[in-house]
Amino acid sequence: QVTLRESGPALVKPTQTLTLTCTFSGFSLSTSGMCVSWIRQPPGKALEWLALIDWDDDKYYSTSLKTRLTISKDTSKNQVVLTMTNMDPVDTATYYCARIDGTYDYSNYYFDYWGQGTLVTVSS
Amino acid sequence: DIQMTQSPSSLSASVGDRVTITCRASQGISNSLAWYQQKPGKAPKLLLYAASRLESGVPSRFSGSGSGTDYTLTISSLQPEDFATYYCQQYYSTPPLTFGGGTKVEIK
C-alpha cells in the first residue's frame, strides 16, 4: 500500500525558509523509475508543479521558482525534503508530495499517488 | 515551458449529462497528458494518463481523447460524485511539468 505524508510548519514568516518533509511507504526511491515530486495549490487556485527528484538523484525544478527551491532525498528514511527560501505571503498554499512510477516507462511523469497535503501560511 | 489552457473554467450540468472538458497545449505533447479529479479539501486523484488510458479503478464513464495540442476529457453520464474540479497535466519530455487552470463542474 503506497502512502505519502507531508509534514512541516503551518505558519512561516516572510523572508524565512520553509522546509517540508514527505515521508512515504509502499515503494522505494532507489527503484529505477521511481520519483517523488512536490506540487502546491494556493487557496482557491490551480495546481502548480514545484520540483521532482528521481531514483538516480536527478533533480528538476519549476522554471519560475528554481532559484528558491532545493529538493533532496534520504532513501534510507523514505523521505524527500523540499526547501523554499525567502517565503512571501503569495507562497501561502497547500503543499502536496506525490509519486511518479516510471518503472515501465521513464517518461511517465504523472502522479499516481498523492499525500493529503499540508497548508502553509506565510504571514508576519 | 509548455502552457496548458483548459476550457471552460467552470460549467453547470445535471446528473446524467454528457460533459466535455478541453485542454490545449502550447505545443504538441504526443499524448503525454494526464487528467485528475479534485474534490474540496482533498488531494487530486489520477483519472487518465497517456491521454486516453484509464487508471485502475476509475469508472468507465470517464474517457479521454486527443492528439497533438488538443485533448478532451469526457464524462459520458455525470454522476453525483463527479461534481469536482478537473485538471489536465502535461508530461511531454523531461520536466518542467505543467497543469491546466482547472475546470469546476457544478450542479445545475
Side-chain angles (χ1 to χ4, degrees), chain A:
Chain A
Q1 179 189 2
V2 173
T3 64
L4 303 100
R5 186 183 76 251
E6 305 87 354
S7 58
L11 179 67
V12 297
K13 290 181 167 50
T15 76
Q16 286 188 334
T17 294
L18 171 68
T19 299
L20 294 172
T21 300
C22 176
T23 303
F24 57 87
S25 63
F27 68 98
S28 173
L29 203 39
S30 62
T31 300
S32 289
M34 285 296 180
C35 312
V36 171
S37 200
W38 286 93
I39 300 111
R40 72 178 179 179
Q41 185 173 39
K45 296 189 177 181
L47 300 165
E48 179 183 18
W49 176 76
L50 299 177
L52 179 155
I53 189 165
D54 71 15
W55 77 100
D56 205 24
D57 209 34
D58 290 324
K59 302 161 187 176
Y60 302 91
Y61 297 101
S62 161
T63 302
S64 60
L65 293 169
K66 60 184 175 183
T67 61
R68 299 173 52 204
L69 296 173
T70 303
I71 192 169
S72 62
K73 65 181 173 74
D74 185 330
T75 304
S76 65
K77 292 183 178 179
N78 282 351
Q79 290 182 332
V80 170
V81 174
L82 180 76
T83 62
M84 180 180 290
T85 61
N86 194 24
M87 293 292 285
D88 183 271
V90 300
D91 297 313
T92 293
T94 296
Y95 287 75
Y96 295 98
C97 62
R99 186 187 83 157
I100 291 169
D101 181 0
T103 54
Y104 296 104
D105 185 338
Y106 286 177
S107 65
N108 281 351
Y109 288 110
Y110 56 85
F111 311 104
D112 61 351
Y113 287 92
W114 295 65
Q116 63 188 14
T118 186
L119 176 62
V120 177
T121 301
V122 185
S123 175
S124 55

Side-chain angles (χ1 to χ4, degrees), chain B residues 16-88:
Chain B
D17 284 353
R18 182 182 183 89
V19 168
T20 299
I21 298 167
T22 297
C23 192
R24 172 166 289 176
S26 59
Q27 66 181 73
I29 57 172
S30 297
N31 289 357
S32 297
L33 186 89
W35 289 98
Y36 302 87
Q37 177 192 67
Q38 187 180 33
K39 296 182 178 179
K42 300 294 186 182
K45 172 188 173 184
L46 178 66
L47 298 177
L48 297 108
Y49 60 95
S52 61
R53 297 187 181 180
L54 207 61
E55 175 71 348
S56 176
V58 173
S60 59
R61 63 181 179 272
F62 292 93
S63 64
S65 64
S67 63
T69 60
D70 296 328
Y71 297 88
T72 299
L73 171 69
T74 299
I75 308 172
S76 60
S77 178
L78 199 65
Q79 298 302 299
E81 60 268 30
D82 300 337
F83 292 97
T85 300
Y86 294 83
Y87 292 94
C88 61

